[in-house]
Amino acid sequence: DDMKATEDLGSAPVWTVPESIRTSSPISTELHAKLVGLDDLFPNSGLGKLFNSNGDFRTELRTSMRKDLYIIDPTLSRERNLQMQSLSSTLHVVWNRSNCTFRNTTMTLSKYGVELTGSDLILTLGGLSGGEATSGSLLEIVNITRRKVNHSWHQDSGRAQRTVMLGFPPEDNYCGAGVFSHGVKLSHEIASQGKRGDVVQYDQYDPYPGDIPEEFIVRPMYKQGT
């Protein structure tokens, strides 16, 4: 990403949502984007430095998480199930299944000397979500670098809830923007184009409210410790 990263999310200004597309519900500053480091969540584990500096570990972590969380679909062939589970495929699974032991993720962490279980890792990260509603879903989107993707602003739901992102850097010891989604701090919930809770596509409003000014766009910085 060649855009300048926003180093201090807390100081970024709040965009006043136009009255024509907003609800009467102001958004709490507690729901604005913030960065949390792996070493903040797991102090003295060494996970933050390892994650930032070792691409092999990051790849094995993704693989083991998929093995733990993907449920074999009996209606699909073995080859198709393996394709769905592979790192080249976008994956949508449930992270908080009560019967999941996270065995493979635990083994990967242990292999690299991290004294955490897979449950410690996944359930702690998932526990950062929540609020008005919690879906329990984990989505890993891949392959978008193989095709041109048009930039489009959207509001996930409008509900008072948090989405958690675990950012995987493009290279070891990376520092910069482009790992996390860009964002805008909203003053109010944007009115739904359907029922409340649906994804809102900003560019589909008619009439179009106008481009969001550059000074309100937040581009979170990825670096060790965040």
Side-chain angles (χ1 to χ4, degrees):
D1 194 317
D2 57 1
M3 295 288 187
K4 180 177 174 59
T6 307
E7 296 191 36
D8 182 7
L9 300 188
S11 65
V14 175
W15 181 55
T16 301
V17 178
E19 291 187 6
S20 61
I21 63 167
R22 80 187 190 195
T23 71
S24 60
S25 303
I27 292 180
S28 167
T29 57
E30 289 298 311
L31 292 176
H32 288 157
K34 63 181 67 176
L35 295 171
V36 180
L38 289 173
D39 287 335
D40 296 325
L41 295 173
F42 309 104
N44 304 313
S45 68
L47 181 59
K49 180 177 181 180
L50 174 65
F51 185 89
N52 181 64
S53 63
N54 194 316
D56 290 338
F57 169 72
R58 293 193 298 272
T59 298
E60 290 185 43
L61 183 63
R62 291 178 57 210
T63 300
S64 60
M65 289 166 60
R66 285 170 173 255
K67 287 180 179 179
D68 287 331
L69 293 171
Y70 179 73
I71 298 176
I72 299 297
D73 186 340
T75 67
L76 300 178
S77 66
R78 179 178 181 275
E79 291 73 19
R80 181 59 177 152
N81 273 295
L82 289 174
Q83 182 184 28
M84 295 283 288
Q85 195 177 352
S86 72
L87 295 182
S88 63
S89 174
T90 292
L91 187 72
H92 191 185
V93 293
V94 175
W95 60 265
N96 58 354
R97 296 199 331 269
S98 60
N99 61 343
C100 185
T101 64
F102 299 101
R103 173 179 172 272
N104 293 288
T105 304
T106 298
M107 290 173 61
T108 295
L109 293 169
S110 178
K111 174 182 174 181
Y112 284 87
V114 179
E115 295 183 359
L116 295 171
T117 67
S119 294
D120 292 333
L121 176 64
I122 303 301
L123 299 184
T124 299
L125 291 172
L128 296 177
S129 63
E132 186 177 335
T134 301
S135 67
S137 65
L138 183 153
L139 177 65
E140 183 181 15
I141 303 174
V142 298
N143 287 345
I144 61 173
T145 57
R146 297 183 183 178
R147 57 185 172 85
K148 180 176 176 58
V149 178
N150 293 325
H151 190 284
S152 176
W153 290 114
H154 74 274
Q155 174 180 266
D156 277 349
S157 70
R159 297 189 178 105
Q161 63 189 62
R162 293 183 181 86
T163 297
V164 178
M165 298 181 185
L166 176 61
F168 283 76
E171 60 190 27
D172 290 348
N173 303 309
Y174 178 77
C175 180
V179 174
F180 302 105
S181 297
H182 298 172
V184 177
K185 292 182 176 181
L186 304 179
S187 65
H188 292 73
E189 175 186 325
I190 295 180
S192 175
Q193 295 152 326
K195 67 178 185 298
R196 185 168 184 270
D198 288 348
V199 174
V200 174
Q201 299 289 349
Y202 182 76
D203 58 1
Q204 291 181 8
Y205 275 107
D206 186 16
Y208 179 63
D211 293 347
I212 297 174
E214 170 67 27
E215 63 264 29
F216 295 103
I217 298 175
V218 172
R219 299 179 175 87
M221 173 181 281
Y222 172 91
K223 62 180 179 180
Q224 183 177 328
T226 63

